[in-house]
Amino acid sequence: MTTKQELPDEALSAMAIGWRRKALEGDLHARGIAHELETELRRRAGAPFTNYDTLDMRPLEMRAARPRWWRFWRGR
């Protein structure tokens, strides 16, 4: 039997995607297996850099315009 450490990256990624899909379909044990495979992928590749701009779900206009909260405190 081949262990997850012996699998090439492409095969490991395909297996992780397959198990994650099964987990999303409701298979109770698939989540743990998918997590193990994804952990091995992260161990090999290192922690990916998270682009926090892609996580911001606000419209572009709201992200570009930053409120100037300090104007409230300026004297009139």
Side-chain angles (χ1 to χ4, degrees), residues 6-21:
E6 297 171 351
L7 290 171
D9 290 347
E10 296 81 20
L12 192 63
S13 178
M15 287 177 61
I17 290 169
W19 282 104
R20 182 58 62 191
R21 186 171 290 127

Side-chain angles (χ1 to χ4, degrees), residues 8 20 22 25 29 33-34 37 42 45 63 66 69 72:
R20 182 58 62 191
K22 287 181 184 179
E25 291 171 356
H29 302 290
I33 297 169
L37 296 172
R42 283 191 300 274
R63 284 187 273 162
R66 300 207 179 244
W69 57 271
F72 176 78

